[in-house]
Amino acid sequence: MGRTFGTCVLFGLTMVCASWAQAFNDATTPLRWNTPADRATCTEPGSALWVEAGRAEACIRYFAGGALEHAPVVIVMFHGDRTTEMNRAPQAIAGNTLAAKVNQARALTKRVGVPLVIVARPGTYGSSGDHGQRRQAQEFIALNGALDQLRERYGIGQFVLLGHSGGATVAAALLTLGRTDVKCAVMTSGAFSLVQRAQMIRQSKGLPSRPGRDTNGLLHPYDPAQHIAGIAAAPTRQLYVIGSTGDQIAPFALQKAFFQALMRAGHQAHLIRAQGVPTTFHQLRHDIGLKTAAQCAG
């Protein structure tokens, strides 16, 4: 008879070593970037969701820092754009393994006191898709389907959405898709009014205008600022727009305009001016986003 040890089965010393090595390699192998959806490889237990949204399919990876089973509230964190990383070999990207991402989620969970899960945007950290096509509708549809599956898999009650920069755009977009399971959303240094933002940035750098195109050079981005009517009414839900007035990547004027549109639509929204980190003032000091999400979740 064999004896089970975690993911290993003991049938003599050789089998223990082989099983342990396989489990270790699974956690430390670099995660793939910008790959097509393949259901046959979307099998990582406790870290992969197969999403079928309309005519599209996606494998979305997630990294849980605490017990998700029947959790009344879970913080879902979306990272910002990873434009530099996406052009590197997977093994050259810092923290690009299952073990590293889970450790990050565990550290954040310990800080906030409630389960936190990092959900990887399409094309990054093992999620299928093309990160070069970010802020197109399909990115948000895939992530919306992933949240549906997380709730179904673990029996989660409500989500607190937390996103920075492009991750804040994700959080806003998920709201506009009509989710009714969001207790709170915290959007720091968010990219809104996407075509206008691109025009402002190009003008500030003395670059030629590209009418109708976002900073990715793409037409028809899904802009949450144009879809606020899709946000479900929820009198007790709190929406936080947090940014630095000196932000050179996501202009604060556009963040403020998004907040004002939320208010006009009758939502409980808050605009918070935070200290930015020089020289672009896009990153914010004092982990204000994480701390605000923790307060919301409590």
mmCIF file of all heavy atoms in Angstrom, residues 167-202:
data_model
loop_
_atom_site.group_PDB
_atom_site.id
_atom_site.type_symbol
_atom_site.label_atom_id
_atom_site.label_comp_id
_atom_site.label_asym_id
_atom_site.label_seq_id
_atom_site.Cartn_x
_atom_site.Cartn_y
_atom_site.Cartn_z
ATOM 1 N N GLY A 167 -5.333 48.050 -13.588
ATOM 2 C CA GLY A 167 -6.160 47.205 -12.732
ATOM 3 C C GLY A 167 -7.372 47.936 -12.199
ATOM 4 O O GLY A 167 -8.429 47.343 -11.969
ATOM 5 N N ALA A 168 -7.237 49.261 -11.999
ATOM 6 C CA ALA A 168 -8.385 50.074 -11.594
ATOM 7 C C ALA A 168 -9.392 50.142 -12.728
ATOM 8 O O ALA A 168 -10.610 50.138 -12.498
ATOM 9 C CB ALA A 168 -7.926 51.471 -11.204
ATOM 10 N N THR A 169 -8.909 50.211 -13.968
ATOM 11 C CA THR A 169 -9.805 50.184 -15.115
ATOM 12 C C THR A 169 -10.575 48.872 -15.151
ATOM 13 O O THR A 169 -11.767 48.846 -15.461
ATOM 14 C CB THR A 169 -9.022 50.379 -16.422
ATOM 15 O OG1 THR A 169 -8.100 51.456 -16.280
ATOM 16 C CG2 THR A 169 -9.951 50.670 -17.581
ATOM 17 N N VAL A 170 -9.893 47.766 -14.818
ATOM 18 C CA VAL A 170 -10.566 46.466 -14.740
ATOM 19 C C VAL A 170 -11.694 46.514 -13.716
ATOM 20 O O VAL A 170 -12.833 46.104 -14.003
ATOM 21 C CB VAL A 170 -9.570 45.346 -14.380
ATOM 22 C CG1 VAL A 170 -10.324 44.046 -14.081
ATOM 23 C CG2 VAL A 170 -8.568 45.122 -15.501
ATOM 24 N N ALA A 171 -11.392 46.996 -12.507
ATOM 25 C CA ALA A 171 -12.410 47.051 -11.460
ATOM 26 C C ALA A 171 -13.612 47.875 -11.906
ATOM 27 O O ALA A 171 -14.770 47.482 -11.714
ATOM 28 C CB ALA A 171 -11.807 47.629 -10.186
ATOM 29 N N ALA A 172 -13.349 49.022 -12.524
ATOM 30 C CA ALA A 172 -14.436 49.874 -13.006
ATOM 31 C C ALA A 172 -15.241 49.173 -14.094
ATOM 32 O O ALA A 172 -16.479 49.240 -14.108
ATOM 33 C CB ALA A 172 -13.870 51.191 -13.531
ATOM 34 N N ALA A 173 -14.553 48.497 -15.005
ATOM 35 C CA ALA A 173 -15.247 47.803 -16.088
ATOM 36 C C ALA A 173 -16.140 46.695 -15.548
ATOM 37 O O ALA A 173 -17.267 46.501 -16.027
ATOM 38 C CB ALA A 173 -14.228 47.234 -17.072
ATOM 39 N N LEU A 174 -15.665 45.963 -14.542
ATOM 40 C CA LEU A 174 -16.485 44.899 -13.960
ATOM 41 C C LEU A 174 -17.743 45.465 -13.323
ATOM 42 O O LEU A 174 -18.819 44.856 -13.400
ATOM 43 C CB LEU A 174 -15.667 44.116 -12.933
ATOM 44 C CG LEU A 174 -14.495 43.314 -13.505
ATOM 45 C CD1 LEU A 174 -13.699 42.645 -12.398
ATOM 46 C CD2 LEU A 174 -14.985 42.260 -14.498
ATOM 47 N N LEU A 175 -17.636 46.630 -12.720
ATOM 48 C CA LEU A 175 -18.829 47.284 -12.185
ATOM 49 C C LEU A 175 -19.825 47.580 -13.302
ATOM 50 O O LEU A 175 -21.034 47.357 -13.154
ATOM 51 C CB LEU A 175 -18.447 48.580 -11.477
ATOM 52 C CG LEU A 175 -17.721 48.474 -10.136
ATOM 53 C CD1 LEU A 175 -17.200 49.832 -9.702
ATOM 54 C CD2 LEU A 175 -18.655 47.898 -9.057
ATOM 55 N N THR A 176 -19.323 48.079 -14.434
ATOM 56 C CA THR A 176 -20.226 48.465 -15.527
ATOM 57 C C THR A 176 -20.885 47.261 -16.176
ATOM 58 O O THR A 176 -21.877 47.424 -16.906
ATOM 59 C CB THR A 176 -19.491 49.271 -16.616
ATOM 60 O OG1 THR A 176 -18.573 48.426 -17.327
ATOM 61 C CG2 THR A 176 -18.760 50.462 -16.017
ATOM 62 N N LEU A 177 -20.371 46.068 -15.930
ATOM 63 C CA LEU A 177 -20.989 44.855 -16.471
ATOM 64 C C LEU A 177 -22.131 44.367 -15.599
ATOM 65 O O LEU A 177 -22.673 43.281 -15.828
ATOM 66 C CB LEU A 177 -19.930 43.766 -16.666
ATOM 67 C CG LEU A 177 -18.848 44.088 -17.708
ATOM 68 C CD1 LEU A 177 -17.828 42.969 -17.804
ATOM 69 C CD2 LEU A 177 -19.475 44.362 -19.082
ATOM 70 N N GLY A 178 -22.465 45.154 -14.573
ATOM 71 C CA GLY A 178 -23.675 44.894 -13.809
ATOM 72 C C GLY A 178 -23.548 43.966 -12.626
ATOM 73 O O GLY A 178 -24.561 43.464 -12.131
ATOM 74 N N ARG A 179 -22.345 43.750 -12.129
ATOM 75 C CA ARG A 179 -22.182 42.840 -11.000
ATOM 76 C C ARG A 179 -22.948 43.352 -9.775
ATOM 77 O O ARG A 179 -22.911 44.543 -9.462
ATOM 78 C CB ARG A 179 -20.707 42.670 -10.644
ATOM 79 C CG ARG A 179 -19.836 42.098 -11.755
ATOM 80 C CD ARG A 179 -18.556 41.497 -11.194
ATOM 81 N NE ARG A 179 -18.838 40.298 -10.436
ATOM 82 C CZ ARG A 179 -18.885 39.065 -10.955
ATOM 83 N NH1 ARG A 179 -18.677 38.880 -12.246
ATOM 84 N NH2 ARG A 179 -19.146 38.019 -10.194
ATOM 85 N N THR A 180 -23.582 42.422 -9.095
ATOM 86 C CA THR A 180 -24.341 42.764 -7.887
ATOM 87 C C THR A 180 -23.712 42.178 -6.626
ATOM 88 O O THR A 180 -24.314 42.241 -5.549
ATOM 89 C CB THR A 180 -25.792 42.268 -8.006
ATOM 90 O OG1 THR A 180 -25.796 40.845 -8.208
ATOM 91 C CG2 THR A 180 -26.502 42.955 -9.166
ATOM 92 N N ASP A 181 -22.522 41.605 -6.760
ATOM 93 C CA ASP A 181 -21.863 40.954 -5.623
ATOM 94 C C ASP A 181 -20.643 41.743 -5.143
ATOM 95 O O ASP A 181 -19.774 41.205 -4.470
ATOM 96 C CB ASP A 181 -21.440 39.524 -5.975
ATOM 97 C CG ASP A 181 -20.610 39.448 -7.261
ATOM 98 O OD1 ASP A 181 -20.225 40.521 -7.786
ATOM 99 O OD2 ASP A 181 -20.352 38.327 -7.735
ATOM 100 N N VAL A 182 -20.571 43.024 -5.502
ATOM 101 C CA VAL A 182 -19.427 43.862 -5.126
ATOM 102 C C VAL A 182 -19.804 44.703 -3.914
ATOM 103 O O VAL A 182 -20.706 45.539 -3.973
ATOM 104 C CB VAL A 182 -18.992 44.773 -6.293
ATOM 105 C CG1 VAL A 182 -17.852 45.690 -5.854
ATOM 106 C CG2 VAL A 182 -18.569 43.927 -7.494
ATOM 107 N N LYS A 183 -19.118 44.457 -2.816
ATOM 108 C CA LYS A 183 -19.352 45.237 -1.594
ATOM 109 C C LYS A 183 -18.715 46.609 -1.691
ATOM 110 O O LYS A 183 -19.235 47.613 -1.165
ATOM 111 C CB LYS A 183 -18.791 44.488 -0.388
ATOM 112 C CG LYS A 183 -18.986 45.191 0.942
ATOM 113 C CD LYS A 183 -18.436 44.377 2.098
ATOM 114 C CE LYS A 183 -18.689 45.097 3.432
ATOM 115 N NZ LYS A 183 -18.151 44.332 4.577
ATOM 116 N N CYS A 184 -17.573 46.679 -2.370
ATOM 117 C CA CYS A 184 -16.786 47.909 -2.422
ATOM 118 C C CYS A 184 -15.809 47.795 -3.582
ATOM 119 O O CYS A 184 -15.403 46.682 -3.948
ATOM 120 C CB CYS A 184 -16.042 48.080 -1.097
ATOM 121 S SG CYS A 184 -14.933 49.484 -1.001
ATOM 122 N N ALA A 185 -15.455 48.925 -4.166
ATOM 123 C CA ALA A 185 -14.427 48.934 -5.206
ATOM 124 C C ALA A 185 -13.450 50.062 -4.914
ATOM 125 O O ALA A 185 -13.861 51.190 -4.632
ATOM 126 C CB ALA A 185 -15.044 49.105 -6.588
ATOM 127 N N VAL A 186 -12.163 49.751 -4.985
ATOM 128 C CA VAL A 186 -11.102 50.719 -4.725
ATOM 129 C C VAL A 186 -10.252 50.817 -5.988
ATOM 130 O O VAL A 186 -9.602 49.841 -6.384
ATOM 131 C CB VAL A 186 -10.242 50.299 -3.516
ATOM 132 C CG1 VAL A 186 -9.137 51.324 -3.271
ATOM 133 C CG2 VAL A 186 -11.108 50.125 -2.274
ATOM 134 N N MET A 187 -10.265 51.987 -6.604
ATOM 135 C CA MET A 187 -9.599 52.192 -7.894
ATOM 136 C C MET A 187 -8.542 53.275 -7.727
ATOM 137 O O MET A 187 -8.870 54.455 -7.573
ATOM 138 C CB MET A 187 -10.647 52.578 -8.940
ATOM 139 C CG MET A 187 -11.696 51.488 -9.172
ATOM 140 S SD MET A 187 -13.234 52.072 -9.965
ATOM 141 C CE MET A 187 -14.092 52.790 -8.538
ATOM 142 N N THR A 188 -7.264 52.888 -7.741
ATOM 143 C CA THR A 188 -6.180 53.843 -7.528
ATOM 144 C C THR A 188 -5.467 54.138 -8.847
ATOM 145 O O THR A 188 -5.156 53.233 -9.624
ATOM 146 C CB THR A 188 -5.167 53.315 -6.499
ATOM 147 O OG1 THR A 188 -4.545 52.123 -6.985
ATOM 148 C CG2 THR A 188 -5.847 53.004 -5.172
ATOM 149 N N SER A 189 -5.228 55.424 -9.097
ATOM 150 C CA SER A 189 -4.528 55.873 -10.314
ATOM 151 C C SER A 189 -5.118 55.252 -11.559
ATOM 152 O O SER A 189 -4.401 54.800 -12.463
ATOM 153 C CB SER A 189 -3.026 55.550 -10.215
ATOM 154 O OG SER A 189 -2.444 56.149 -9.082
ATOM 155 N N GLY A 190 -6.431 55.237 -11.645
ATOM 156 C CA GLY A 190 -7.106 54.537 -12.719
ATOM 157 C C GLY A 190 -7.034 55.238 -14.057
ATOM 158 O O GLY A 190 -6.991 56.468 -14.147
ATOM 159 N N ALA A 191 -7.033 54.430 -15.121
ATOM 160 C CA ALA A 191 -7.063 54.942 -16.491
ATOM 161 C C ALA A 191 -8.510 54.978 -16.960
ATOM 162 O O ALA A 191 -9.139 53.936 -17.143
ATOM 163 C CB ALA A 191 -6.229 54.062 -17.414
ATOM 164 N N PHE A 192 -9.037 56.189 -17.140
ATOM 165 C CA PHE A 192 -10.408 56.386 -17.598
ATOM 166 C C PHE A 192 -10.397 57.345 -18.785
ATOM 167 O O PHE A 192 -9.392 57.988 -19.062
ATOM 168 C CB PHE A 192 -11.275 56.937 -16.463
ATOM 169 C CG PHE A 192 -11.213 56.126 -15.199
ATOM 170 C CD1 PHE A 192 -10.723 56.670 -14.022
ATOM 171 C CD2 PHE A 192 -11.639 54.804 -15.180
ATOM 172 C CE1 PHE A 192 -10.662 55.928 -12.861
ATOM 173 C CE2 PHE A 192 -11.578 54.047 -14.026
ATOM 174 C CZ PHE A 192 -11.084 54.611 -12.854
ATOM 175 N N SER A 193 -11.550 57.451 -19.469
ATOM 176 C CA SER A 193 -11.634 58.301 -20.667
ATOM 177 C C SER A 193 -10.438 57.995 -21.571
ATOM 178 O O SER A 193 -9.578 58.831 -21.831
ATOM 179 C CB SER A 193 -11.678 59.777 -20.284
ATOM 180 O OG SER A 193 -12.791 60.048 -19.450
ATOM 181 N N LEU A 194 -10.401 56.758 -22.051
ATOM 182 C CA LEU A 194 -9.173 56.179 -22.581
ATOM 183 C C LEU A 194 -8.634 56.874 -23.825
ATOM 184 O O LEU A 194 -7.418 57.045 -23.970
ATOM 185 C CB LEU A 194 -9.401 54.688 -22.853
ATOM 186 C CG LEU A 194 -9.781 53.881 -21.600
ATOM 187 C CD1 LEU A 194 -10.114 52.445 -21.980
ATOM 188 C CD2 LEU A 194 -8.661 53.926 -20.560
ATOM 189 N N VAL A 195 -9.491 57.269 -24.732
ATOM 190 C CA VAL A 195 -9.011 57.962 -25.934
ATOM 191 C C VAL A 195 -8.533 59.363 -25.572
ATOM 192 O O VAL A 195 -7.468 59.814 -26.035
ATOM 193 C CB VAL A 195 -10.113 58.005 -27.007
ATOM 194 C CG1 VAL A 195 -9.698 58.901 -28.165
ATOM 195 C CG2 VAL A 195 -10.418 56.591 -27.509
ATOM 196 N N GLN A 196 -9.290 60.056 -24.738
ATOM 197 C CA GLN A 196 -8.869 61.390 -24.309
ATOM 198 C C GLN A 196 -7.555 61.320 -23.548
ATOM 199 O O GLN A 196 -6.666 62.167 -23.721
ATOM 200 C CB GLN A 196 -9.952 62.027 -23.440
ATOM 201 C CG GLN A 196 -9.636 63.463 -23.017
ATOM 202 C CD GLN A 196 -10.724 64.064 -22.147
ATOM 203 O OE1 GLN A 196 -11.758 63.438 -21.884
ATOM 204 N NE2 GLN A 196 -10.495 65.297 -21.696
ATOM 205 N N ARG A 197 -7.420 60.306 -22.698
ATOM 206 C CA ARG A 197 -6.167 60.119 -21.956
ATOM 207 C C ARG A 197 -4.993 59.967 -22.910
ATOM 208 O O ARG A 197 -3.934 60.594 -22.731
ATOM 209 C CB ARG A 197 -6.283 58.884 -21.061
ATOM 210 C CG ARG A 197 -4.969 58.413 -20.452
ATOM 211 C CD ARG A 197 -5.158 57.152 -19.624
ATOM 212 N NE ARG A 197 -3.901 56.631 -19.134
ATOM 213 C CZ ARG A 197 -3.336 55.488 -19.554
ATOM 214 N NH1 ARG A 197 -3.930 54.753 -20.490
ATOM 215 N NH2 ARG A 197 -2.181 55.101 -19.057
ATOM 216 N N ALA A 198 -5.167 59.150 -23.946
ATOM 217 C CA ALA A 198 -4.087 58.946 -24.912
ATOM 218 C C ALA A 198 -3.725 60.245 -25.614
ATOM 219 O O ALA A 198 -2.538 60.544 -25.827
ATOM 220 C CB ALA A 198 -4.500 57.882 -25.928
ATOM 221 N N GLN A 199 -4.721 61.024 -25.966
ATOM 222 C CA GLN A 199 -4.461 62.307 -26.625
ATOM 223 C C GLN A 199 -3.690 63.247 -25.697
ATOM 224 O O GLN A 199 -2.755 63.940 -26.134
ATOM 225 C CB GLN A 199 -5.785 62.938 -27.059
ATOM 226 C CG GLN A 199 -6.485 62.181 -28.170
ATOM 227 C CD GLN A 199 -7.885 62.710 -28.456
ATOM 228 O OE1 GLN A 199 -8.518 63.327 -27.597
ATOM 229 N NE2 GLN A 199 -8.374 62.456 -29.653
ATOM 230 N N MET A 200 -4.063 63.286 -24.410
ATOM 231 C CA MET A 200 -3.386 64.150 -23.448
ATOM 232 C C MET A 200 -1.923 63.738 -23.272
ATOM 233 O O MET A 200 -1.023 64.584 -23.233
ATOM 234 C CB MET A 200 -4.120 64.124 -22.111
ATOM 235 C CG MET A 200 -5.506 64.761 -22.150
ATOM 236 S SD MET A 200 -6.455 64.500 -20.617
ATOM 237 C CE MET A 200 -5.486 65.499 -19.451
ATOM 238 N N ILE A 201 -1.685 62.448 -23.178
ATOM 239 C CA ILE A 201 -0.321 61.962 -22.976
ATOM 240 C C ILE A 201 0.534 62.239 -24.212
ATOM 241 O O ILE A 201 1.684 62.698 -24.106
ATOM 242 C CB ILE A 201 -0.333 60.458 -22.626
ATOM 243 C CG1 ILE A 201 -0.941 60.252 -21.232
ATOM 244 C CG2 ILE A 201 1.078 59.877 -22.687
ATOM 245 C CD1 ILE A 201 -1.127 58.797 -20.853
ATOM 246 N N ARG A 202 -0.010 61.989 -25.404
ATOM 247 C CA ARG A 202 0.757 62.246 -26.627
ATOM 248 C C ARG A 202 1.076 63.729 -26.762
ATOM 249 O O ARG A 202 2.184 64.101 -27.156
ATOM 250 C CB ARG A 202 -0.025 61.741 -27.845
ATOM 251 C CG ARG A 202 -0.123 60.223 -27.910
ATOM 252 C CD ARG A 202 -0.757 59.740 -29.204
ATOM 253 N NE ARG A 202 -0.941 58.292 -29.159
ATOM 254 C CZ ARG A 202 -2.121 57.681 -29.100
ATOM 255 N NH1 ARG A 202 -3.232 58.387 -29.123
ATOM 256 N NH2 ARG A 202 -2.193 56.375 -29.056
#
